[in-house]
Amino acid sequence: MKRVGRLFFFILFTYSTINLFAQKNNRELLFNGKNLQGWDTYIGPPLDDTGKKLSNVPVGLNNDPKHVFTIVQDTGEKIIRISGENWGAISTKKEYSDFHLQLMFKWGQLTWGQKKNKKKDSGLLYFSVGDYGADYGAWMRSQEFQIEQGNCGDYWGVAGGMEDVPVTKKSDSEYVYDPSGELISFSATAKVGRHCIKRGDAENAAGEWNTLDLYCHGDTSVHVINGKVMMMLYHSSQLQNAQVLPLIKGKLQIQSEGAEVFYKHIFIEALNKIPVGILH
């Protein structure tokens, strides 16, 4: 019995080790902890102190004269700093579908332009397709996982992005995610608009690190902050030339939108289904 028991635990240990190794090797680090290799930068037209465009000409692709996107040291490790001074984003060179993305973020001190002394704002844009600068001269068509003080986990449709979300009506212009609510389509052309409010709150205090998880499989997405589900979204699509088309694959963008913010520990892994524990 002892020999059988040892054999059992050896097999179990070997299986667990191989499984853990496979899980780790399934992860792709999107930030290498050194530089922005694998990413492009894009900055929209220069803005004045009120957020008004000074011209319609963007600063452009991989041109960052004000060093909006840099790598800095923080308690012994290198992290991404986004100053927020110009509106734009870093975007992955590769496109992704059916994935689990995780990253960590925390707020800095600076705010700029129309965001001056207001809630600090950024955002993770996923399934990003089409032209740079399609939205406000700064961002591609996409679905937004909102990263904003007090509103992390909200949804915005960007430049034609569309999602169906179960909601409860809060006011004439506000709808809050409710897993047992009515399924409503959110987009720039919808009567309800392109913004849906997350349910609950899970953000840490300003200056502390937060963990963001985004699960996408097929046309279904889940927004998670610090381990708490903020929202589930269905039927990801886009409006293109008056046609509604699927939107289930694209680049990832991390916004610069008027506030200083830091990011680290960004990885992505393939997903063959959304974990049961995440689904309601």
Side-chain angles (χ1 to χ4, degrees):
M1 291 294 292
K2 289 183 178 178
R3 187 174 299 174
V4 173
R6 291 194 193 101
L7 181 60
F8 171 79
F9 283 113
F10 175 77
I11 293 171
L12 181 62
F13 174 79
T14 303
Y15 173 80
S16 299
T17 303
I18 293 172
N19 189 47
L20 181 61
F21 179 83
Q23 287 178 351
K24 287 184 177 180
N25 279 269
N26 187 39
R27 292 184 174 187
E28 177 186 351
L29 286 174
L30 296 184
F31 172 50
N32 62 17
K34 300 175 183 178
N35 52 45
L36 289 174
Q37 182 179 347
W39 298 79
D40 290 311
T41 67
Y42 187 86
I43 296 173
L47 308 174
D48 66 15
D49 289 341
T50 68
K52 183 180 179 180
K53 293 179 184 179
L54 294 173
S55 95
N56 288 320
V57 180
V59 176
L61 185 65
N62 295 321
N63 182 27
D64 187 7
K66 292 188 176 181
H67 306 293
V68 174
F69 307 105
T70 56
I71 308 300
V72 298
Q73 288 278 352
D74 179 69
T75 60
E77 65 178 335
K78 290 185 177 180
I79 62 176
I80 299 170
R81 175 183 182 260
I82 299 178
S83 73
E85 184 174 0
N86 289 98
W87 287 27
I90 56 172
S91 61
T92 58
K93 293 180 182 291
K94 294 168 61 176
E95 294 188 337
Y96 297 94
S97 62
D98 295 338
F99 62 84
H100 166 217
L101 172 78
Q102 185 178 90
L103 59 76
M104 298 183 72
F105 71 91
K106 71 174 180 178
W107 299 110
Q109 299 296 321
L110 301 176
T111 53
W112 308 84
Q114 62 180 271
K115 301 287 184 176
K116 188 76 173 178
N117 299 320
K118 296 182 180 179
K119 290 182 178 180
K120 295 184 176 70
D121 199 1
S122 182
L124 169 65
L125 309 183
Y126 57 102
F127 299 154
S128 301
V129 297
D131 297 331
Y132 289 97
D135 187 83
Y136 209 76
W139 307 298
M140 303 165 72
R141 175 180 299 154
S142 53
Q143 314 292 18
E144 179 173 359
F145 186 140
Q146 174 71 293
I147 300 173
E148 182 183 56
Q149 286 182 305
N151 301 316
C152 288
D154 281 10
Y155 166 74
W156 287 87
V158 179
M162 307 171 69
E163 290 275 15
D164 293 345
V165 186
V167 295
T168 296
K169 188 174 182 178
K170 183 178 179 180
S171 69
D172 288 340
S173 60
E174 295 182 316
Y175 293 80
V176 178
Y177 168 69
D178 179 352
S180 61
E182 179 185 1
L183 194 66
I184 291 180
S185 182
F186 289 85
S187 72
T189 58
K191 289 183 179 180
V192 298
R194 63 190 184 111
H195 175 219
C196 182
I197 301 170
K198 47 87 177 177
R199 184 177 70 162
D201 186 23
E203 296 169 48
N204 293 325
E208 296 181 9
W209 287 103
N210 295 276
T211 299
L212 176 156
D213 288 278
L214 170 63
Y215 296 87
C216 296
H217 188 263
D219 62 2
T220 298
S221 304
V222 187
H223 294 183
V224 180
I225 293 289
N226 294 325
K228 184 176 179 181
V229 174
M230 298 285 100
M231 183 182 300
M232 294 190 65
L233 308 95
Y234 304 92
H235 310 141
S236 179
S237 56
Q238 58 183 314
L239 188 65
Q240 181 173 318
N241 298 325
Q243 285 187 301
V244 176
L245 303 173
L247 183 57
I248 59 174
K249 182 178 182 179
K251 296 181 178 183
L252 301 164
Q253 299 176 91
I254 300 177
Q255 291 179 306
S256 173
E257 194 175 359
E260 183 183 35
V261 61
F262 301 93
Y263 288 91
K264 68 177 183 178
H265 299 174
I266 309 172
F267 76 83
I268 196 167
E269 58 187 347
L271 199 66
N272 57 22
K273 65 178 181 179
I274 295 175
V276 174
I278 299 298
L279 297 170
H280 290 294

